[in-house]
Amino acid sequence: MAILVTGGAGYIGSVTVEHLRASKEKVVVLDDLVYGHRGAVDSDVPFYQGKAGDSALLSRIVKEHKLDACIHFAALASVGESVADPAKYFENNVGQGIALTGFLIRVGVRNIVFSSTCATYGEPKEIPISEKCPQWPKNPYGWSKFCMERLLESYDLSYGLKFMALRYFNAAGASEHHGEDHNPETHLIPNVLAAAAGEKPELAVFGDNYPTPDGTPIRDYIHVSDLADAHIRALDYLRGGGNSEALNVGTGHGYSVLEVIECARQVTKREIRIRIEAPRAGDPARLVADSSRIQSVLSWKPGVSDLRTIVQSAWKWRQQHPQGYSKSASQHNT
Ligand SMILES: NC(=O)c1ccc[n+]([C@@H]2O[C@H](COP(=O)([O-])OP(=O)(O)OC[C@H]3O[C@@H](n4cnc5c(N)ncnc54)[C@H](O)[C@@H]3O)[C@@H](O)[C@H]2O)c1
């Protein structure tokens, strides 16, 4: 039996595939490569290029592989772009998601792990944010994930689908063979490291007057390998008959933008110049997870998510792949 991994050529998907294969799982990757990279999927992994909800392609996949579960990473994930073009986000993240889940139910695949996000909480009412906090997203990206969570709940009640919606906080870092290569890059750590590598003269810091100790926003960074581990545990839990649920994946500890930059200076031993810019609309001061629920339900704990380890791993991957996947030195095969 194989696991269908949509978005497996993207950042978190490719790391999770690496971990799944290390756990001896069979994997099939489906990705339209709009943002993913063919080079992020090992050549001996069955790979299908196309939309997650393409029923003709999905039919071909189930003819060629016996699937027992799906990890659905495939989505567009830029908040700013979602505000500029919400239709693109609802069509891709919800429209394709509806088509995919409908197909999986029809062919009897009942276990789905879904990539959700802390963006579904919007402006948090309390910190740390627990799963009981109200969800009221502040942008179309967050709403697209919110819609998919409600859809999964309804399909659980009526069709017996079992799902785990993992609400990630800020994924960061790199595994041994896979790292973050987005274009454009909107995440802090790769942008800090690009400045350290001299690819940009200075780093823009959006706002230094937030109600935090150093005035810059605080986020909960979770190492992508710890995130991959959470997916594997979620799958095992569903396969073992566990009930559907939504769980935060974070560390419970936050770092400010300036703390991340200082850590990157120490790790890279390079100068990183910053430029303070106006705060971005809708950026909360502090987003930190209460991760006690996932620790008790999945016995999951962050193992490598201290900031220094995250930055070191991302820097190492970057030095090994200075051009990202486009000119990867080698395509790794496990
Ligand atoms: N990176 C984070 O910090 C973070 C935080 C919260 C949630 N998430 C969610 O995690 C998932 C993965 O994020 P990522 O950072 O790896 O993003 P990514 O862009 O690197 O990966 C997403 C992959 O999905 C593919 N894709 C997008 N729409 C598709 C479609 N309709 N059909 C097939 N393939 C499609 C893209 O080509 C890409 O390879 C996303 O669902 C994202 O919303 C990410």
Side-chain angles (χ1 to χ4, degrees):
M1 299 292 264
I3 299 157
L4 177 65
V5 181
T6 73
Y11 169 45
I12 306 169
S14 62
V15 173
T16 304
V17 167
E18 181 184 329
H19 281 246
L20 285 165
R21 299 189 80 210
S23 309
K24 306 286 173 227
E25 294 279 5
K26 281 193 188 150
V27 172
V28 177
V29 169
L30 168 59
D31 195 301
D32 63 5
L33 297 185
V34 165
Y35 283 113
H37 307 273
R38 184 63 185 92
V41 185
D42 293 342
S43 52
D44 57 344
V45 171
F47 175 78
Y48 296 82
Q49 183 173 352
K51 292 282 175 207
D54 177 340
S55 59
L57 183 56
L58 288 166
S59 299
R60 206 181 113 209
I61 293 173
V62 294
K63 271 197 195 110
E64 293 172 8
H65 305 275
K66 211 163 165 40
L67 303 180
D68 82 322
C70 173
I71 308 183
H72 180 36
F73 291 104
L76 299 173
S78 161
V79 168
E81 189 188 43
S82 81
V83 174
D85 192 355
K88 188 173 171 187
Y89 273 65
F90 284 105
E91 282 163 20
N92 190 72
N93 296 359
V94 184
Q96 295 289 324
I98 292 172
L100 172 70
T101 25
F103 180 89
L104 293 174
I105 286 168
R106 283 196 296 282
V107 298
V109 176
R110 288 279 186 270
N111 296 328
I112 298 186
V113 180
F114 173 65
S115 295
S116 190
T117 165
C118 63
T120 59
Y121 293 111
E123 185 73 48
K125 297 269 178 296
E126 59 187 45
I127 297 288
I129 305 169
S130 85
E131 291 83 354
K132 292 198 178 96
C133 284
Q135 290 176 292
W136 195 259
K138 292 196 77 172
N139 51 63
Y141 165 64
W143 281 113
S144 73
K145 295 290 183 173
F146 176 94
C147 289
M148 282 302 297
E149 284 197 12
R150 302 296 81 77
L151 176 140
L152 291 168
E153 284 164 7
S154 308
Y155 286 16
D156 175 9
L157 282 177
S158 302
Y159 307 134
L161 175 91
K162 290 295 157 211
F163 73 88
M164 184 63 79
L166 296 177
R167 296 179 186 153
Y168 319 155
F169 281 63
N170 289 55
S175 64
E176 202 182 336
H177 302 293
H178 297 94
E180 191 163 13
D181 178 12
H182 292 130
N183 186 18
E185 185 55 80
T186 56
H187 294 147
L188 177 64
I189 290 177
N191 278 321
V192 172
L193 296 181
E199 279 168 30
K200 45 173 87 181
E202 52 192 14
L203 177 81
V205 171
F206 298 100
D208 64 350
N209 202 16
Y210 285 89
T212 59
D214 66 19
T216 62
I218 289 178
R219 296 289 180 268
D220 186 335
Y221 294 92
I222 175 84
H223 194 294
V224 67
S225 291
D226 282 337
L227 204 44
D229 177 43
H231 288 79
I232 292 172
R233 286 169 190 266
L235 265 183
D236 288 346
Y237 170 85
L238 293 176
R239 284 166 164 167
N243 284 328
S244 300
E245 197 161 336
L247 298 172
N248 287 340
V249 198
T251 64
H253 186 86
Y255 296 97
S256 73
V257 171
L258 293 184
E259 283 175 320
V260 171
I261 294 168
E262 189 47 40
C263 178
R265 286 191 181 114
Q266 287 170 19
V267 167
T268 63
K269 300 184 175 53
R270 306 271 180 99
E271 189 190 359
I272 302 171
R273 293 161 61 98
I274 62 170
R275 184 182 73 244
I276 305 295
E277 293 207 349
R280 289 181 298 204
D283 245 356
R286 204 184 280 261
L287 289 175
V288 176
D290 174 345
S291 58
S292 50
R293 181 82 192 140
I294 188 170
Q295 301 201 15
S296 67
V297 176
L298 300 184
S299 305
W300 172 91
K301 267 201 197 118
V304 285
S305 290
D306 66 281
L307 184 61
R308 198 176 170 86
T309 305
I310 287 175
V311 173
Q312 274 170 338
S313 68
W315 182 239
K316 183 175 165 203
W317 191 80
R318 191 186 173 85
Q319 289 188 303
Q320 289 168 346
H321 306 80
Q323 311 292 330
Y325 285 108
S326 55
K327 291 189 188 130
S328 271
S330 64
Q331 197 173 317
H332 167 76
N333 283 315
T334 43

